[in-house]
Amino acid sequence: MIRNVLSIAGSDPSGGAGIQADLKAFSARGVYGMAALTALTAQNTQGVSGVHPVPPHFVADQINAIFADVRVDAVKIGMIANAAIATAVADILARHRDVPVVLDPVMIAKGGAALLTADAVDVLTTRLLPLATVITPNLPEAAALLHDVEAKSREDMARQALALAALGPSAVLVKGGHLEGDESPDVLASGDHVTWFEAERLPTKNTHGTGCTLSSAIAAEIAKGLSLPEAVAVGKAYLAAAVAAAGQLSVGSGHGPVQHFHALWPNRQGAEK
């Protein structure tokens, strides 16, 4: 059976992040992707120049329409924009507690633009975190959620992951892509236990949408029946390969997107040689 996964997130017209990245990752991982839009953005590989939130009642209408008709095997939440949208999403998902939820707390764009209002952080923390099977913050997001300084070491990462787990989600994956050094480790905390996932840092600026892609891949693998640690391992390996193959693409002049379909599309340059 092909599994169905719903993304609740914002749109990226350049195709590298947001709903567009989620749907690409879902397809690449072999699940059927659906999307409820929370916001339209004006952005490209160089940054975000505008955000237009969808009215909260219409966000709710989109999600309710899916649940009324389609079996939903997992939900991925990305950009929720403001407190009213966060509340609307939480109200609906509280009625579907049997569906796994992967929450990527999208707060700041790669170029520095704020993608979540300050009042929405409180709603996200109090209403959405307790509904999540796993949350996937990067280091700045983990620090913001905890009102703490950004982690500078593995010890800091583990401490913050455990602190976030105490706020209610079943598990927390803190991503170490912002750490300095040659490694890019992630740490998964559940209860008082932590598990590390290792990877080498890849020398590329084409990392637009990495957080969206990883959380979507994890949601896809959970929907397919993998345990959370297995889903994280598969998702991280998929993302690493997508980043490594990003040079196959020629999209924009800033932070380019990853190559979601690295395993499905031939390397045209290689084929021509």
Side-chain angles (χ1 to χ4, degrees), residues 139 154 157 175-186 196-202 236:
L139 299 190
R154 287 175 179 254
M157 287 178 60
K175 301 172 295 189
H178 287 77
L179 278 184
E180 294 186 2
D182 296 330
E183 302 298 320
S184 181
D186 300 342
W196 287 94
F197 297 84
E198 306 293 340
E200 294 183 5
R201 187 177 306 281
L202 298 171
K236 189 171 175 67

Side-chain angles (χ1 to χ4, degrees), residues 6-77:
L6 170 64
S7 172
I8 303 170
S11 170
D12 171 10
S14 72
I19 287 288
Q20 288 83 348
D22 297 344
L23 292 175
K24 290 173 184 176
F26 292 158
S27 295
R29 298 311 307 162
V31 299
Y32 180 80
M34 302 171 288
L37 269 72
T38 59
L40 305 179
T41 70
Q43 67 174 293
N44 54 31
T45 64
Q46 299 182 58
V48 178
S49 57
V51 175
H52 181 69
V54 175
H57 71 86
F58 197 72
V59 175
D61 288 347
Q62 294 175 76
I63 301 169
N64 283 325
I66 297 300
F67 275 105
D69 180 52
V70 182
R71 184 194 74 251
V72 179
D73 298 304
V75 170
K76 175 263 171 79
I77 302 174

Side-chain angles (χ1 to χ4, degrees), residues 139-262:
L139 299 190
E141 291 161 349
L145 290 171
L146 291 168
H147 305 288
D148 198 354
V149 297
E150 186 173 326
K152 300 297 184 184
S153 67
R154 287 175 179 254
E155 292 76 16
D156 290 341
M157 287 178 60
R159 175 180 57 80
Q160 291 189 348
L162 291 169
L164 285 169
L167 296 179
S170 298
V172 177
L173 180 70
V174 173
K175 301 172 295 189
H178 287 77
L179 278 184
E180 294 186 2
D182 296 330
E183 302 298 320
S184 181
D186 300 342
V187 61
L188 178 67
S190 180
D192 59 358
H193 180 71
V194 298
T195 303
W196 287 94
F197 297 84
E198 306 293 340
E200 294 183 5
R201 187 177 306 281
L202 298 171
T204 177
K205 68 174 184 176
N206 297 324
T207 56
H208 185 50
T210 50
C212 305
T213 298
L214 177 61
S215 56
S216 295
I218 292 171
E221 299 306 324
I222 291 174
K224 288 154 61 176
L226 294 190
S227 68
L228 179 56
E230 291 171 332
V232 170
V234 171
K236 189 171 175 67
Y238 163 72
L239 175 62
V243 173
Q248 295 177 9
L249 303 175
S250 178
V251 181
S253 57
H255 293 285
V258 304
Q259 167 49 311
H260 294 89
F261 300 114
H262 57 271

